[in-house]
Amino acid sequence: MSEPKSFFGDPDPIFADKELLRVSHLPQSDRIIGRDDELQSLAKAIKDAQRGGTPNNVLIYGKTGTGKSLCSKYITRDLANTAAENDVKIGIAYVDCFQESTETQTVRTIARSLNDSEETDITVPHSGVSTSDYYRRLWDILDARLDVGIIILDEIDKLEDDNVLMQLSRAAEAGKVSESTLGIIGISNKIRYKDTLNERVKSSLSERDFVFPPYDASQLRSILRSRADAFRDDVLAEDVIPKVAALAAREHGDARKAIDILRYAGEIADEHGTDTVSVEYVDEAHEREEQARLSELISKQPTHSRYLMLALALRTQESSEEEPMIPSKQIYSAYQVICEREGTDPLKMRRVRDLLSELAFLSLIEQDRKGRGKGKGAHTVNELVDDPKLVTGACQSP
C-alpha cells in the first residue's frame, strides 16, 4: 500500500519566519525604525506609571501605517516590564474601536483584558450584563489586582459617543477606583478628532498630543530590511525592497502597506513555484494588498453600505469622464437595482445620504457639493478613492 499523500510538502522554500511580516507582530525596539523621538515622547508622557503614579492621557494622530499602534503597544509593554521591577503592577488593555465601537463593547473589552478571574474571582460575561455593571466590574478588577491600568483606544474616532472617555478619565476623581489609577492612549487618523469632543471630555482628558508623520522612502527601506530575515537566505532579490518602499512612500508613507506588499510578493513567488522573490512580483503583490485592504474595510460595513459602494463603482465604470463625480441620485438608482437583485428592500433616499456621508468619513469615498447651474441650486457628488475594479471585487468577495 502506498503512503498517503500529504498536501503540505517540504518546509516553506520562501519564508524563514513569516510572522515578522504580519501587522500583528510586535517587534523588538531595534526593528522599530524612524520613531525614536516619538517613543521617547510617549515614554515621558506615561513614565509616572512605572512607580504607581497616574500617567498622562495621550492622543496620537497620524495617517494609517505611521507606527501609532506599534509604538503604543511597544512602549506600554516596556513600561509594564520596567514597573514590575519596582513591584508595580500595570495592566494594558487594547481596544480596536472600529470593531468595538459602542460604550458597552468598549468597557466589556477593557474589563476582560485586565481581568484574571482566578485572582479576582470576578467574571466578565460576553452578554447578559448591563453597561453600568460592566463598569462596576472594571473598577473592582482594577482595585483588586492592578496599580495602574493603561487603555489603548485604537481608532478612537470610531467610538459612537464620548461617555466611555468621560467615565475612564474621571474614574479616580469620581471615586470609582481607590487602589489604582488609569491612563488613556487614544489613536486616530483624524487630526481634528479632538474638535469633535465636548468640552467636559476635553477637560477630563487633559491629554498630550503627538503627531506621527508619514515614513519617507529611506525609512521604509530600513523598515523592510529590518524584517528581511522573514525570508530564507538568498531568496529576496536586491531590487524588491527599494521598489516596495517607493510604492508605499508614494502612497502616504504607509509602513503597514509596505510590509503587506513584501509578504504578498513572497507568497506569489511561492505560488509560482520559484525560489526567488523577484521584482516582477511586486506589482501583482501591490494589487493584492489593495484588494485585501479594501475587502477587509468593506466587509466591516453594513450590507446597504456595501451595496452603495458597489453602485458607485458600477456608475464610475460606466462614466466617460476621467475622474467621474457621481450624483447621489444616480448612485441611488443603481443601488435600487442591486437591492432588487439581492432580494432586499432599498432604504429611503434620506438614509442613503447618511450612509454615503459615513463612507466619506471613513475615506472610502470623497464627497463634494456641485452647482447645477445658475438658479438651480447644488447637489452632492461622490467619487471613489480606489480603483472601481478593486472596489467591485471587494464588494463581491465573500
Side-chain angles (χ1 to χ4, degrees):
M1 181 180 294
S2 61
E3 290 292 323
K5 178 181 178 181
S6 172
F7 289 93
F8 298 99
D10 297 326
D12 194 320
I14 299 294
F15 295 102
D17 185 0
K18 198 173 183 179
E19 289 306 306
L20 292 175
L21 298 175
R22 298 288 183 190
V23 172
S24 58
H25 174 71
L26 186 58
Q28 297 300 315
S29 61
D30 60 349
R31 293 182 189 267
I32 300 179
I33 308 297
R35 289 293 177 256
D36 288 348
D37 291 344
E38 288 78 8
L39 286 169
Q40 190 66 43
S41 296
L42 281 174
K44 287 180 180 177
I46 62 175
K47 67 178 181 179
D48 289 347
Q50 76 181 64
R51 302 194 184 280
T54 303
N56 289 293
N57 295 320
V58 174
L59 284 178
I60 303 173
Y61 303 98
K63 291 182 178 293
T64 300
T66 53
K68 304 183 301 298
S69 303
L70 172 67
C71 290
S72 298
K73 290 177 180 179
Y74 174 81
I75 207 69
T76 51
R77 184 182 68 178
D78 191 33
L79 172 69
N81 290 337
T82 303
E85 298 173 4
N86 300 323
D87 293 324
V88 173
K89 192 167 185 180
I90 295 179
I92 301 163
Y94 173 86
V95 184
D96 179 354
C97 299
F98 201 122
Q99 299 287 346
E100 313 286 346
S101 60
T102 70
E103 181 181 7
T104 300
Q105 290 171 335
T106 302
V107 69
R108 179 183 64 207
T109 299
I110 295 168
R112 289 169 71 94
S113 299
L114 298 180
N115 193 30
D116 181 338
S117 58
E118 292 185 1
E119 187 177 339
T120 64
D121 202 26
I122 298 170
T123 60
V124 185
H126 186 74
S127 59
V129 174
S130 68
T131 303
S132 59
D133 200 359
Y134 279 127
Y135 275 118
R136 282 194 293 272
R137 295 182 192 216
L138 172 59
W139 309 142
D140 289 344
I141 289 165
L142 283 162
D143 275 347
R145 68 180 301 263
L146 296 173
D147 296 299
V148 184
I150 295 184
I151 298 76
I152 302 173
L153 298 174
D154 207 346
E155 298 202 60
I156 191 174
D157 49 275
K158 302 301 189 299
L159 289 174
E160 290 187 359
D161 58 56
D162 301 341
N163 193 51
V164 68
L165 299 179
M166 180 74 75
Q167 294 284 346
L168 294 174
S169 61
R170 294 196 170 188
E173 178 186 339
K176 303 296 185 182
V177 291
S178 57
E179 304 298 322
S180 61
T181 188
L182 271 175
I184 299 169
I185 297 178
I187 302 171
S188 177
N189 299 334
K190 310 290 183 182
I191 194 70
R192 301 190 186 281
Y193 163 69
K194 190 167 63 174
D195 296 344
T196 68
L197 300 174
N198 69 50
E199 292 303 320
R200 290 182 65 209
V201 174
K202 286 182 188 178
S203 174
S204 63
L205 275 175
S206 301
E207 79 291 334
R208 296 200 181 175
D209 295 355
F210 302 110
V211 178
F212 280 40
Y215 294 105
D216 60 31
S218 176
Q219 290 172 323
L220 289 169
R221 285 195 298 272
S222 296
I223 289 169
L224 295 176
R225 286 180 182 133
S226 76
R227 301 194 184 206
D229 48 347
F231 296 92
R232 294 192 178 278
D233 292 342
D234 302 320
V235 161
L236 196 61
E238 289 186 5
D239 50 358
V240 169
I241 283 179
K243 181 166 183 178
V244 172
L247 279 173
R250 189 177 68 197
E251 299 179 16
H252 311 304
D254 189 334
R256 186 177 302 175
K257 177 188 284 285
I259 292 167
D260 281 344
I261 293 172
L262 188 61
R263 186 181 76 254
Y264 284 131
E267 291 176 353
I268 291 166
D270 191 25
E271 291 165 11
H272 282 274
T274 68
D275 57 4
T276 301
V277 182
S278 60
V279 75
E280 67 184 276
Y281 299 130
V282 172
D283 287 334
E284 185 179 347
H286 183 213
E287 185 172 338
R288 185 176 294 188
E289 185 278 332
E290 288 192 330
Q291 182 74 52
R293 175 181 55 82
L294 267 178
S295 295
E296 180 184 9
L297 189 53
I298 290 174
S299 69
K300 296 176 181 178
Q301 305 309 311
T303 300
H304 287 272
S305 294
R306 295 199 303 270
Y307 291 167
L308 287 169
M309 286 287 294
L310 180 57
L312 177 54
L314 294 173
R315 286 296 192 202
T316 300
Q317 289 175 306
E318 293 169 0
S319 176
S320 58
E321 297 180 24
E322 187 173 338
E323 295 183 359
M325 301 288 286
I326 311 299
S328 296
K329 285 188 176 180
Q330 289 186 23
I331 297 174
Y332 189 72
S333 61
Y335 158 76
Q336 288 177 305
V337 173
I338 293 168
C339 286
E340 183 178 356
R341 185 187 70 197
E342 299 294 331
T344 302
D345 292 333
L347 301 174
K348 300 294 185 184
M349 186 64 186
R350 178 180 296 177
R351 180 57 183 148
V352 164
R353 289 194 184 99
D354 290 341
L355 291 179
L356 288 171
S357 296
E358 290 173 14
L359 292 172
F361 178 78
L362 294 171
S363 299
L364 281 167
I365 69 173
E366 291 182 351
Q367 288 191 314
D368 197 6
R369 294 286 290 172
K370 188 174 181 181
R372 293 190 177 96
K374 188 174 181 181
K376 295 183 179 180
H379 62 170
T380 301
V381 290
N382 308 266
E383 182 180 16
L384 285 177
V385 173
D386 296 281
D387 186 284
K389 291 182 180 178
L390 286 174
V391 173
T392 301
C395 288
Q396 295 176 334
S397 62

